[in-house]
Each structure stands twice: as C-alpha cells, then as structure tokens.
Amino acid sequence: MRYNANENVSLPLFKNDSMDENQAALKNITHAIQERKGKKITIVDMSALEHSICRYFVICEGTSNTHILAISDFIREHLYETMRIKPFAAEGYQNALWIILDYGEIMVHVFHPESRQYYDLEHLWNDAVLTEIPDLN
C-alpha cells in the first residue's frame, strides 16, 4: 500500500487520545482480521495495569505465512482507509510467523499457531482483562 505524503494522516494512538478513538481502532482492527478470516481473536485490555507498555494487545492467528501476511496487510490498509492511521512500526514480515503492528496504544500481534502457543502472550498478561472474539465461519 502506498501513502501520499500530502494526505491528512493521523499519528498512531497515544495515551492522551480519547477512549472513543481507541475503541474505534479496536473495532476496525477486529473487523479487518475477521474480513481476512483471522482466527482466535483476543483483546488484552491493559489500561488498568500500572506500567503496561500500551493499553491494548489484539492477538490473532492465521493458518499459514501467506495468510498472516494477508491479515497484517489488510489491518494496515483498513485502519489507514477508515481512520487515516499508520503504524509506528511493523515487524516480522521477513518470516511471517509473528507480525507485530505498533499503533502506539494498541499493539496488534498476528501469529502462526505454533508461535502463538510458544510465546503465550495471553498467559503473560493474564492479570489484564482478556476478551475473546468469536470466530466468523
């Protein structure tokens, strides 16, 4: 996806952004994952935790490296098209086993199933509020 430098683009989300913007971004991220048939979506709400690195993790998985790339690319495209937000950084595109999209207050993790099980982020952050989003069939 190409971005035009002259377009009105929002910066990624920061702690002083409204909760409505965060909720809108979460909704759009979830929609994008579901559109590309991402599975096992979990939203990790860390907003009540002291010293958390961000407010939210969105964790999901794809079935193959190609699927993980497609999910990640569509999240980026959809957030840009709907909210004019681009990530600070995107890592993991080289091997596509775990791609991270950094939107400031929201970190999106798109995993290969074995990598997700190995790193087990939900367990590491189990003191946060975990919300599982049902898969669309």
Side-chain angles (χ1 to χ4, degrees):
M1 175 177 188
R2 300 186 65 93
Y3 300 104
N4 182 341
N6 296 325
E7 289 185 57
N8 183 16
V9 177
S10 298
L11 292 174
L13 303 170
F14 294 100
K15 288 191 183 216
N16 60 354
D17 285 341
S18 75
M19 290 304 289
D20 289 342
E21 288 175 337
N22 284 327
Q23 292 304 314
L26 289 169
K27 181 179 176 183
N28 281 302
I29 291 166
T30 302
H31 173 77
I33 294 167
Q34 290 175 327
E35 276 291 311
R36 290 298 179 261
K37 309 293 187 220
K39 301 294 181 193
K40 298 184 179 176
I41 303 169
T42 302
I43 297 174
V44 181
D45 181 349
M46 298 177 283
S47 59
L49 301 180
E50 192 173 337
H51 305 298
S52 63
I53 58 173
C54 62
R55 284 190 180 157
Y56 301 96
F57 279 173
V58 179
I59 304 169
C60 71
E61 61 187 57
T63 56
S64 68
N65 299 55
T66 304
H67 189 207
I68 292 164
L69 289 167
I71 294 167
S72 301
D73 286 345
F74 192 65
I75 292 168
R76 293 174 75 167
E77 290 172 19
H78 189 66
L79 248 59
Y80 181 75
E81 289 172 3
T82 58
M83 300 181 73
R84 291 293 188 245
I85 297 173
K86 295 193 289 184
F88 276 122
E91 295 293 331
Y93 273 85
Q94 298 79 12
N95 62 16
L97 294 174
W98 176 11
I99 294 179
I100 304 170
L101 304 175
D102 179 357
Y103 285 100
E105 283 301 296
I106 300 172
M107 301 280 288
V108 182
H109 301 267
V110 185
F111 278 104
H112 193 274
E114 288 81 17
S115 296
R116 183 177 186 173
Q117 183 178 9
Y118 179 80
Y119 290 103
D120 197 13
L121 294 183
E122 292 95 336
H123 178 74
L124 289 174
W125 293 97
N126 67 356
D127 50 344
V129 177
L130 303 178
T131 304
E132 294 184 7
I133 307 297
D135 291 342
L136 297 180
N137 293 329

